[in-house]
């Protein structure tokens, strides 16, 4: 039984036998869903690329702050250019450290790290390659300090971007693809079963006709076999038509309500852009006053 179904599938794939039971509506909806799925996957890839670009941009701005910090140690520009909070001492991204609770330790770190930077410069090393952020003040408003604070805020928002935007889009695509592919696979199985019984009944009828043209009667066994497979054909056709009808309705709903699933994602992306840009504008406009006023 399984072997004959495999033969049916092979003939259908190679074009040796065309199925009479393929639904044109399902074929059209499948093509539309394929394009919809491609568009959705493209959206996910652009969201992922945007997230990576935001991370890279934030890090590049932090690197500039590190370079300014290193270059302004023991210079008149230190207060407005490179001064940073005690909590950033010895970190690579301006995060809180042990010095946050120990001002005297932070003060000592300032002198030590400043000497390290100066020693590195005197040895001809490129200060921009330094990964440690050095020096501090109690409440700095320097270029470096503002960008450190901005970087920490960005890290928080980038995590929210993944959680509320990228994950939403990925889950949406995964759930839809899983359900649709599962249903399409089952519809194909039912179609192959229908083709199989249709062909079998046709062959049994041909054999019965040949027997009768020779003036012979079809055996009781042959009649029972024909009736049995005719009933299987009726059941296979009914099951296939009902499932395909339901599947077409389901896929039409996906196509028609796709914008409804997209809408909350669009709102979240807009909210993210507004909030992030507002936070950045506020921080830079307030924090850079001391730098611009020097």
């Amino acid at each position: 039984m399984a072997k004959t179904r495999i033969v049916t599938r092979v003939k259908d794939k190679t074009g040796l036998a065309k199925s009479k039971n393929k639904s044109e509506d399902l074929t059209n909806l499948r093509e539309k869903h394929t394009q919809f799925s491609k568009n959705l996957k493209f959206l996910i890839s652009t969201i992922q690329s945007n997230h990576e670009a935001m991370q890279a941009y934030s890090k590049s701005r932090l690197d500039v702050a590190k370079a300014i910090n290193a270059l302004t140690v023991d210079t008149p520009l230190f207060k407005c250019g490179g001064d940073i909070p005690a909590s950033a001492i010895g970190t690579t991204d301006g995060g809180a450290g042990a010095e946050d609770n120990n001002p005297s330790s932070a003060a000592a770190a300032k002198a030590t790290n400043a000497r390290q930077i100066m020693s590195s410069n005197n040895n001809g090393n490129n200060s921009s390659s330094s990964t440690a952020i050095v020096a501090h003040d109690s409440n700095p408003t320097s270029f470096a300090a503002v960008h450190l604070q901005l970087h920490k805020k960005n890290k928080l928002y980038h995590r929210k971007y993944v959680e509320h935007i990228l994950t939403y889009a990925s889950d949406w695509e995964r759930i839809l693809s899983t359900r649709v592919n599962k249903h399409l696979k089952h519809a194909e199985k039912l179609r192959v079963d229908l083709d199989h019984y249709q062909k079998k009944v046709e062959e049994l009828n041909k054999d019965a006709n040949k027997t009768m043209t020779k003036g012979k009667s079809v055996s009781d066994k042959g009649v029972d076999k024909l009736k049995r497979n005719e009933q299987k054909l009726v059941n296979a056709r009914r099951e296939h038509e009902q499932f395909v009808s339901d599947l077409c309705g389901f896929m039409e709903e996906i196509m028609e309500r796709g914008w409804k699933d997209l809408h909350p994602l669009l709102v979240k992306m807009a909210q993210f852009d507004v909030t992030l840009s507002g936070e950045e504008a506020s921080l830079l406009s307030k924090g850079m006053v001391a730098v611009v006023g020097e």
Side-chain angles (χ1 to χ4, degrees), residues 23 73 81 95 98 161 175 192 209 261 270 273 290 292:
S23 168
V73 171
Y161 187 86
I175 292 170
V192 170
N209 290 333
D261 293 321
D273 288 342
V292 176

Side-chain angles (χ1 to χ4, degrees), residues 221-238:
K221 183 178 179 180
V223 173
D224 288 341
K225 186 175 182 180
L226 177 58
K227 288 182 178 179
R228 190 169 60 250
N229 280 278
E230 283 177 337
Q231 186 58 50
K232 288 181 179 179
L233 174 60
V234 170
N235 294 339
R237 178 173 284 110
R238 182 173 59 247

Side-chain angles (χ1 to χ4, degrees), residues 68-81:
I68 294 295
N69 170 256
L71 284 170
T72 56
V73 171
D74 292 337
T75 74
L77 289 177
F78 179 70
K79 186 174 181 180
C80 70

